[in-house]
């Protein structure tokens, strides 16, 4: 019973992370009007969260290893609760962007702590695979239901409600985590943080994500993008040098000997660059091309949410039947076929039903691949390294997503020709077909890793 309750709490934590990422999208117009954001600056309500989450994940994972998973989980959930309360009470644009950055830091602590708790509470094998499937289903639900919940809350209570809704849930999981999770076992030997490595790695990754988010708007040759890129390269070079010489590195070199982890990081980056970029283009299609309201757009994402959640459970069963690598290949093939079918069905006046074959194939593939890649990332990693291993894989997820979305947005913008409405639809379709091609490359990558990794 305790293990089941613990899994409920861990799944709720993943739901909070996913909701917090997605729920603000439909509230952006009201937030911009209410707090006086300029059209250019409004993107930072989303981007501030993305930049700090991606930049601090490695540090968050190592914090869970060194300071304790339960302690880190509780602290991160309280950061979410407190920052969400301040966000709902914000009276200025600067305050809200700062709050979103703090929420991102909370996410960078909560995500690897949650994942490492699953990988240490549940024994490797069917029990862990089942827990990862439940956890993944909660995340898939949060990403898709966030749009619907956001539309309902904004219509009924105004934009602050998308922040207030997190407060009781985050506070509750902090209390439940402290009550249910195993007490943190004191580490043997000294607990040393690799301060220089942490600062260099966190700063470098944060700047990489910042450039990828900022450059499409400001221009790749703008002074801010070029300066950010140079500083990122310098900090990451320093990080690599420090890690090879540190007695207690932020990222132990031994983890790169885990071929399954390295392979999972590659698949995770590609997964985020493809699957995770689709909601952006589907939202554009539903709201701008088809003219759906925020609430109707949320309803349109219900089917993807349900099917993706189903895919996580099918993926768990498929792992037991055919192994992780074959299941990953099957998930990526399903996703590629679904993206190709969806791209063909995107028209100016076609019915929602025409999109369903592609949506179903995509959702099943996305859910199955999500479960498989986290199973692969955790396999064979020692308990004391589960936090930083989770941080490495989730950093790949964030950076891959930022790279993929930036490339797809650039492709969509450069492809469309003719009247604005036609050009937008052409660009969206080009991006969706590119996702299909990317997932096809993922199939080839996973097959190529057969002889070099245990996936």
């Amino acid at each position: 019973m305790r293990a089941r309750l613990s899994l409920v709490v861990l799944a709720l934590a993943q739901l909070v992370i996913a909701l917090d990422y997605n729920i603000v999208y439909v509230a952006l117009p009201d937030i911009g009007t209410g707090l006086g954001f300029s059209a250019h600056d409004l993107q930072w309500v989303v981007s501030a969260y993305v930049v700090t989450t991606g930049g601090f994940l490695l540090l968050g994972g190592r914090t869970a290893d060194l300071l304790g998973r339960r302690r880190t989980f509780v602290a991160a959930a309280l950061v979410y609760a407190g920052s969400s309360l301040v966000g709902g009470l914000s009276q200025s644009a600067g305050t809200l962007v700062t709050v979103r950055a703090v929420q991102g830091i909370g996410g960078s602590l909560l995500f690897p702590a949650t994942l490492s708790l699953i990988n240490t509470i549940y024994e490797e094998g069917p029990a862990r695979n089942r827990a990862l499937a439940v956890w993944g289903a909660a995340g898939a639900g949060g990403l898709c239901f966030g749009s619907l919940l956001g539309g309902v809350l904004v219509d009924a209570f105004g934009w602050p409600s998308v922040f207030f809704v997190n407060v009781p849930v985050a506070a509750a999981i902090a209390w439940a985590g402290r009550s249910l999770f195993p007490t943190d076992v004191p580490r043997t030997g000294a607990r040393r943080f690799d301060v220089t490595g942490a600062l260099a790695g966190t700063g470098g990754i944060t700047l990489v994500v910042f450039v990828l988010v900022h450059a499409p708007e400001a221009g790749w040759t703008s002074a801010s993008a070029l300066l950010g890129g140079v500083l990122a390269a310098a900090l990451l070079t320093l990080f690599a040098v420090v890690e090879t010489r540190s007695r207690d590195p932020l990222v132990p070199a031994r983890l790169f000997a885990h071929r399954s982890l390295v392979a999972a990081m590659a698949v995770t980056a590609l997964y985020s660059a493809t699957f995770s970029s689709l909601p952006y283009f589907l939202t554009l299609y539903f709201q701008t091309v088809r003219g759906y309201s925020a609430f109707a757009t949320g309803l349109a994402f219900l089917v993807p949410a349900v099917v993706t959640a189903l895919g996580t459970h099918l993926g768990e069963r498929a792992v037991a039947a055919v192994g992780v690598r074959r299941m990953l290949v099957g998930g990526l093939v399903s996703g590629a076929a679904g993206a190709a079918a969806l791209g063909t069905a995107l028209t100016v006046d076609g019915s929602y039903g025409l999109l369903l074959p592609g949506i179903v194939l995509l959702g099943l593939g996305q859910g199955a691949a999500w479960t498989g890649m986290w199973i692969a990332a955790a396999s064979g990693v020692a308990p004391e390294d589960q936090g930083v291993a989770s941080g490495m894989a989730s950093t790949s997820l964030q950076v891959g997503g930022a790279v993929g979305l930036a490339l797809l947005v650039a492709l969509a913008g450069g492809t469309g020709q003719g009247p604005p409405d036609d050009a937008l639809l052409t660009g969206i379709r080009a991006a969706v077909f590119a996702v299909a091609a990317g997932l096809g490359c993922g199939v080839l990558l996973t097959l190529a890793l057969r002889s070099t990794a245990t996936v």
Side-chain angles (χ1 to χ4, degrees):
M1 175 60 74
R2 191 181 187 91
R4 290 182 179 180
L5 290 175
S6 295
L7 182 55
V8 170
V9 175
L10 293 166
L12 281 174
Q14 178 64 4
L15 181 68
V16 168
I17 294 170
L19 280 175
D20 206 47
Y21 177 82
N22 212 39
I23 197 171
V24 299
Y25 276 107
V26 296
L28 286 177
D30 286 21
I31 290 173
T33 301
L35 296 183
F37 276 92
S38 68
H40 174 73
D41 291 337
L42 186 60
Q43 66 167 323
W44 284 104
V45 177
V46 174
S47 298
Y49 183 85
V50 172
V51 168
T52 53
T53 301
F56 282 78
L57 276 166
L58 277 181
L59 183 59
R62 200 56 175 161
T63 298
D65 286 334
L66 294 179
L67 299 185
R69 299 173 185 90
R70 186 181 75 165
R71 187 178 294 115
T72 303
F73 180 95
V74 171
L78 291 176
V79 168
Y80 257 112
S83 58
S84 296
L85 178 61
V86 176
L89 297 173
S90 295
Q91 298 295 313
S92 69
T95 300
L96 187 61
V97 170
T98 302
V99 164
R100 291 292 286 167
V102 173
Q103 285 183 320
I105 294 173
S108 71
L109 292 168
L110 189 61
F111 190 96
T114 301
L115 191 53
S116 60
L117 279 164
I118 289 175
N119 293 333
T120 51
I121 291 175
Y122 304 94
E123 185 177 355
E124 187 170 341
R128 182 186 294 177
N129 296 348
R130 192 174 305 113
L132 285 169
V134 173
W135 172 79
L143 285 173
C144 294
F145 286 118
S147 298
L148 176 60
L149 179 61
V152 171
L153 289 174
V154 170
D155 285 346
F157 306 108
W159 69 261
S161 60
V162 302
F163 293 95
F164 289 144
V165 71
N166 274 333
V167 178
V169 179
I173 64 172
W175 172 83
R178 190 176 187 280
S179 303
L180 290 171
F181 298 154
T183 303
D184 294 319
V185 178
R187 286 175 58 91
T188 57
R191 292 188 303 183
R192 294 188 299 270
F193 268 110
D194 174 17
V195 177
T196 304
L199 292 174
T202 300
I205 296 170
T206 300
L207 282 170
V208 167
V209 180
F210 167 78
V211 170
L212 291 170
V213 170
H214 174 66
E217 179 73 26
W220 290 97
T221 58
S222 65
S224 56
L226 292 174
L227 179 61
V230 170
L231 289 175
L235 286 173
L236 290 176
T237 301
L238 174 62
F239 174 69
V241 172
V242 169
E243 294 304 280
T244 61
R245 300 180 179 181
S246 175
R247 294 174 56 191
D248 194 10
L250 181 68
V251 181
R254 62 181 177 272
L255 289 179
F256 291 100
H258 285 279
R259 293 176 296 177
S260 181
L261 172 60
V262 174
M265 289 171 63
V267 174
T268 299
L270 187 140
Y271 174 102
S272 188
T274 52
F275 282 122
S276 298
S277 297
L278 279 172
Y280 173 85
F281 295 100
L282 284 177
T283 300
L284 275 180
Y285 174 74
F286 290 138
Q287 292 192 328
T288 306
V289 176
R290 301 303 308 278
Y292 287 13
S293 66
F295 180 71
T297 300
L299 286 176
F301 278 105
L302 281 178
V303 173
V306 172
V307 176
T308 303
L310 176 62
T312 62
H313 289 285
L314 293 177
E316 178 234 326
R317 295 185 178 184
V319 167
V322 301
V324 177
R325 187 184 65 85
R326 290 180 179 176
M327 189 275 289
L328 275 173
V329 169
L332 294 172
V333 167
S334 176
L342 181 64
T344 303
L346 294 173
T347 60
V348 175
D349 53 5
S351 69
Y352 182 78
L354 292 176
L355 307 180
L356 287 178
I359 285 174
V360 169
L361 286 171
L362 272 166
L364 291 174
Q366 182 174 1
W370 176 267
T371 301
M373 68 192 190
W374 296 115
I375 292 172
S379 298
V381 178
E384 62 269 19
D385 289 328
Q386 283 290 348
V388 71
S390 300
M392 291 168 66
S394 49
T395 297
S396 298
L397 186 79
Q398 290 290 330
V399 175
V403 171
L405 186 59
L407 292 175
L408 290 170
V409 168
L411 173 66
T415 303
Q417 302 292 330
D421 290 345
D422 293 343
L424 177 61
L425 179 58
T426 300
I428 292 171
R429 294 185 69 190
V432 174
F433 284 128
V435 167
L439 290 170
C441 292
V443 173
L444 299 177
L445 172 65
T446 306
L447 290 172
L449 292 171
R450 179 177 183 179
S451 61
T452 60
T454 56
V455 297

